[in-house]
Amino acid sequence: MDKETAPRPHVTPPATALGLGLRAHREHRGVTVRGLAADLDLDPATVSMIEHATRRPKLDYVIRVLGYLGVAGTEYRRLVALAEHTEDGYLLEGGPIGYPVLRLEYERTADAITEWSPALVPELLQTPEYARAVLDAGMLTGDEVDEGVMLRLARPDADDRGPRYTVLLGEPALHRRYGGTHVLRVQLRHLLTAIDERRASVRIVPREGSWHPSLIAPFTLFEFRKRRPLVTLDHHYVGAYVTEEGPVTRYQESLEHLTAQRALSERASREIIAKAAAALGPARDPGWSPPLPGAACG
């Protein structure tokens, strides 16, 4: 079977999270791959493959490496639990505040990202003020909100040097004034800039229309050239990662349905965003006004 028709490997979320954890602790200790391999009489290539999730380690390997690196307590138990489930096609990752290491890895390595967000501008396109308004819903302390905003800002924006980034955005997100009118106005302005700079393809899904199961909740599809696609499901307390072929295919079909039958074109979507921004009234910055519908559309 040639390379083009060979099946893509099933790199599971637990194996990826385990590899990232082992690599982070090794680097924190200032130990190189070759140094760890020499001290533990291991093959450097094996260490590298395990850290990159292209090879799944045995439990005794993980325990041995964690002992060598001095990892203990909660983090030790977390990584051992991941090692016991590297074959699983699913993973639940806790929250609500914390650096989304696993999702960041998928954002960094994916060749295409498609995000369905029915009621909220996605994190990769949020302004700091909008992110703060979303996080500050009375369920977190002030320090947790500050940390959450900081962590979101630390993530790189989608741009034309990275993966293809497509957002299917529910029309309600253009009108929900999280943080007030000014915050939404600036957010819509930021969204228009991202579109014009081609950092993202944004398609608006109107409120009107028949019911479809995909309208229930947001999800993101990550696609890769050299491995199977996966879906992430985000909740305010838990993030779920799905790689099993059957469920992922159903989510792909949902995105195809939304794109083909419900979403507006890129041009029409930009126009409706511009109209929503204009409806919010004059900007505080006298040097800027919402672009006219259809402006800068290619």
Side-chain angles (χ1 to χ4, degrees):
M1 184 176 292
D2 60 37
K3 292 182 179 180
E4 292 186 359
T5 59
R8 288 175 288 177
H10 186 194
V11 181
T12 67
T16 302
L18 175 62
L20 289 171
L22 293 175
R23 184 175 70 190
H25 286 289
R26 175 182 59 74
E27 292 177 346
H28 179 72
R29 285 286 304 274
V31 179
T32 65
V33 169
R34 290 190 176 277
L36 185 147
D39 288 347
L40 296 182
D41 193 25
L42 299 169
D43 177 10
T46 298
V47 174
S48 181
M49 287 189 290
I50 288 171
E51 289 188 355
H52 288 87
T54 57
R55 180 167 178 174
R56 297 173 193 171
K58 294 182 179 180
L59 181 59
D60 58 354
Y61 169 94
V62 174
I63 292 173
R64 188 179 175 197
V65 170
L66 293 178
Y68 171 81
L69 296 175
V71 181
T74 301
E75 180 64 1
Y76 175 90
R77 292 190 292 273
R78 182 183 77 86
L79 293 174
V80 167
L82 288 171
E84 293 173 335
H85 295 279
T86 55
E87 299 289 335
D88 293 358
Y90 301 87
L91 177 67
L92 290 179
E93 192 171 50
I97 295 298
Y99 204 63
V101 176
L102 187 53
R103 183 179 175 105
L104 277 171
E105 176 69 5
Y106 292 136
E107 290 175 354
R108 184 184 70 83
T109 58
D111 294 293
I113 301 172
T114 305
E115 190 157 6
W116 159 235
S117 187
L120 191 70
V121 175
E123 290 182 15
L124 285 176
L125 295 175
Q126 288 178 3
T127 64
E129 295 82 5
Y130 188 91
R132 178 173 295 279
V134 170
L135 287 167
D136 191 10
M139 301 179 69
L140 304 175
T141 67
D143 288 343
E144 287 176 328
V145 172
D146 291 341
E147 180 185 2
V149 173
M150 180 184 68
L151 293 176
R152 290 191 183 195
L153 293 180
R155 294 164 67 182
D157 288 333
D159 59 35
D160 56 6
R161 293 167 297 177
R164 299 192 310 277
Y165 183 47
T166 301
V167 176
L168 299 177
L169 183 62
E171 188 178 359
L174 305 181
H175 305 287
R176 290 182 170 169
R177 303 186 184 189
Y178 304 118
T181 299
H182 175 66
V183 170
L184 180 58
R185 182 192 299 115
V186 173
Q187 176 60 71
L188 296 182
R189 168 179 173 177
H190 180 73
L191 196 56
L192 289 168
T193 300
I195 294 170
D196 292 342
E197 294 178 354
R198 302 193 182 282
R199 289 187 279 125
S201 170
V202 180
R203 304 275 301 275
I204 299 299
V205 177
R207 285 176 286 199
E208 296 80 9
S210 59
W211 168 251
H212 189 272
S214 60
L215 301 176
I216 295 175
F219 62 90
T220 306
L221 173 70
F222 292 90
E223 297 176 278
F224 310 87
R225 279 195 299 268
K226 297 183 178 180
R227 53 176 157 160
R228 285 161 52 175
L230 67 92
V231 168
T232 65
L233 311 172
D234 296 320
H235 190 263
H236 60 291
Y237 285 118
V238 173
Y241 298 84
V242 181
T243 59
E244 292 293 343
E245 186 173 2
V248 169
T249 297
R250 298 299 295 271
Y251 281 107
Q252 288 176 309
E253 291 171 349
S254 292
L255 288 175
E256 291 170 1
H257 171 86
L258 286 172
T259 301
Q261 301 185 33
R262 301 294 295 273
L264 301 176
S265 67
E266 289 184 338
R267 179 185 294 271
S269 295
R270 191 193 182 285
E271 290 177 354
I272 199 171
I273 295 169
K275 288 179 180 178
L280 295 173
R284 291 182 182 177
D285 177 2
W288 183 92
S289 60
L292 295 174
C297 287

